[in-house]
């Protein structure tokens, strides 16, 4: 069974530039999550999708972050314009059920903003 | 928002020693989970606990769901070098809207095992 795929693995941009991350969840997993993990911290939920609908985006900085999952499968997370404090690893995860907490994570996309 | 206090922040032990780490919260959770993250990888689920008081083992790992539903611990017995990594506790509860489940992670315990 293929795991959660993410790209790119690494990205370096200057502040005020834009960046996009892509995620393809495990086949059949209806729930998809984007987490932000700052160095030395645990993952923090940015947005949760159930199929192609948003379940929770309460911690997404909507003035600069956007995410979509148009066909209920893969997803993109965009940051525009980026700030220095956005430097982090962006983790995508998927789960079969929404109420178990059993998430499967991708390897993450490491963003450095200069 | 809900916060988890995970301790210790880091541990340095000798191979073969047992390890214990714990997680506490001021909020009640209906599920406790423990994840491990290796460098450059995403977290991987180790153990999930669904009932207060539940004690669950997975090989050399044992975890318990506190009876108050506000804490959990993870024990690793007879540690080996590949146990090195960051261990995260995570608690799940219903979101404020009532229809979704929110998963909150602790800050992690960095484990180093000296061969």
């Amino acid at each position: 069974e293929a795991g959660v795929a993410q790209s790119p693995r690494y990205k370096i941009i200057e502040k005020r530039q834009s960046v996009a991350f892509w995620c393809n969840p495990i086949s059949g997993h209806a729930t998809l999550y984007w987490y932000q993990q700052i160095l030395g911290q645990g993952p923090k939920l940015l947005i949760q999708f159930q199929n192609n609908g948003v379940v929770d985006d309460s911690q997404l900085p909507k003035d600069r972050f956007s995410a979509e999952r148009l066909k209920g499968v893969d997803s993109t997370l965009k940051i525009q314009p980026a700030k220095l404090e956005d430097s982090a690893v962006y983790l995508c995860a998927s789960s079969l059920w929404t109420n178990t907490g059993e998430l499967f994570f991708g390897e993450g996309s490491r963003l450095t903003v200069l | 928002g809900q916060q988890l206090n995970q301790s210790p922040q880091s541990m340095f032990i000798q191979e073969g020693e047992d390890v214990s780490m714990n997680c506490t919260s001021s909020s009640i959770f209906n599920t406790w989970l423990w994840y491990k993250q290796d460098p450059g990888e995403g977290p991987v689920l180790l153990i999930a606990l669904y009932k207060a008081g539940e004690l669950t083992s997975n090989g050399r790992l044992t975890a318990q769901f506190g009876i108050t539903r506000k804490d959990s611990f993870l024990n690793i017995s007879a540690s080996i070098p590949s146990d090195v990594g960051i261990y995260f506790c995570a608690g799940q509860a219903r979101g404020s809207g009532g229809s979704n489940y929110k998963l909150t992670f602790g800050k992690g315990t960095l484990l180093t095992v000296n061969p």
Side-chain angles (χ1 to χ4, degrees), chain A residues 48 55-56 98-99, chain B residues 30 93-102:
Chain A
Q48 177 182 342
V55 173
D56 185 352
T98 60
N99 62 346
Chain B
N30 54 23
R94 278 193 182 271
S96 56
S99 61
N100 67 307
Y101 291 82
K102 296 180 72 74

Side-chain angles (χ1 to χ4, degrees), chain A residues 9 37 56 99 101-103, chain B residues 35 37 40 50 92 100 102:
Chain A
R9 286 295 311 272
Q37 186 176 24
D56 185 352
N99 62 346
E102 297 180 14
L103 274 55
Chain B
Y35 284 82
Q37 186 172 30
Y50 297 105
Q92 179 165 269
N100 67 307
K102 296 180 72 74

Side-chain angles (χ1 to χ4, degrees), chain A residues 63-81:
Chain A
D63 57 334
R64 297 183 301 105
F65 286 65
S66 65
E68 61 182 13
R69 193 185 184 198
L70 292 177
K71 296 182 180 178
V73 180
D74 57 345
S75 174
T76 56
L77 175 71
K78 296 179 182 178
I79 307 174
Q80 181 180 11

Side-chain angles (χ1 to χ4, degrees), chain A residues 9 35 37 40-43 45 48 55-56 58-59 91 98-108, chain B residues 30-31 33 35 37 40-45 48 50 88 92 99-108:
Chain A
R9 286 295 311 272
Y35 281 85
Q37 186 176 24
Q41 303 284 326
L45 180 67
Q48 177 182 342
V55 173
D56 185 352
S58 57
Q59 298 189 92
L91 293 163
T98 60
N99 62 346
T100 63
E102 297 180 14
L103 274 55
F104 293 82
F105 284 87
E107 293 180 314
Chain B
N30 54 23
T31 304
L33 307 106
Y35 284 82
Q37 186 172 30
E41 304 289 330
V44 174
L45 179 65
Y50 297 105
F88 291 100
Q92 179 165 269
S99 61
N100 67 307
Y101 291 82
K102 296 180 72 74
L103 190 63
T104 303
F105 283 83
K107 291 188 176 182

Side-chain angles (χ1 to χ4, degrees), chain B residues 3-4 14 16 20 32 35 52 66 75 87 90 94 96 107:
Chain B
Q3 290 189 337
L4 300 183
Q14 295 295 121
S20 183
W32 280 96
Y35 284 82
N75 287 343
Y87 291 79
R94 278 193 182 271
S96 56
K107 291 188 176 182

